[in-house]
Amino acid sequence: MPNCYFCEKKPRECWGGYWCEDCRKIKNILNIYGVEESLTILESVCIRNEEQRKRKINNEKKKIISKNAEKNLSESINLYEKKNDQKKK
């Protein structure tokens, strides 16, 4: 059976149809909510703008810095404890 006209990957529902099952659902949603509203929803939910990308990058950097700081602090504490143990002996 030929592929869907929209996604071009899945087979069509029937010989006379144009859409696969999933794309038919998408088409029905577009018919219900309208193309403009559906596009607005998709863009606001699925696509990140420049500000959102920068915020995500900064948050990830903070996580990495925080993990590295915790690791360095832990190593420093261990080194300090070893030196104290050596002084006590």
Side-chain angles (χ1 to χ4, degrees):
M1 190 173 309
N3 287 342
C4 171
Y5 278 16
F6 187 69
C7 70
E8 299 177 348
K9 295 183 189 237
K10 295 182 181 180
R12 297 184 209 170
E13 287 182 306
C14 62
W15 282 100
Y18 297 104
W19 316 96
C20 66
E21 183 179 349
D22 292 338
C23 292
R24 164 87 44 214
K25 289 177 185 177
I26 293 170
K27 183 181 176 300
N28 290 342
I29 291 169
L30 292 173
N31 287 337
I32 293 170
Y33 293 103
V35 175
E36 291 176 7
E37 185 175 350
S38 299
L39 185 58
T40 302
I41 292 168
L42 287 171
E43 287 175 341
S44 67
V45 174
C46 298
I47 299 174
R48 294 183 178 269
N49 62 30
E50 185 68 24
E51 181 182 326
Q52 291 170 321
R53 286 192 298 269
K54 286 179 182 179
R55 193 177 319 128
K56 178 70 172 179
I57 290 168
N58 288 335
N59 286 340
E60 291 302 316
K61 285 180 181 179
K62 287 177 186 177
K63 286 180 187 177
I64 292 170
I65 290 169
S66 174
K67 286 180 183 178
N68 287 339
E70 288 176 12
K71 181 180 175 186
N72 290 338
L73 179 61
S74 175
E75 290 173 356
S76 296
I77 290 171
N78 289 339
L79 183 61
Y80 177 78
E81 288 174 351
K82 284 181 183 178
K83 286 184 180 181
N84 277 344
D85 289 343
Q86 289 175 353
K87 287 181 182 178
K88 289 180 182 177
K89 290 180 182 181

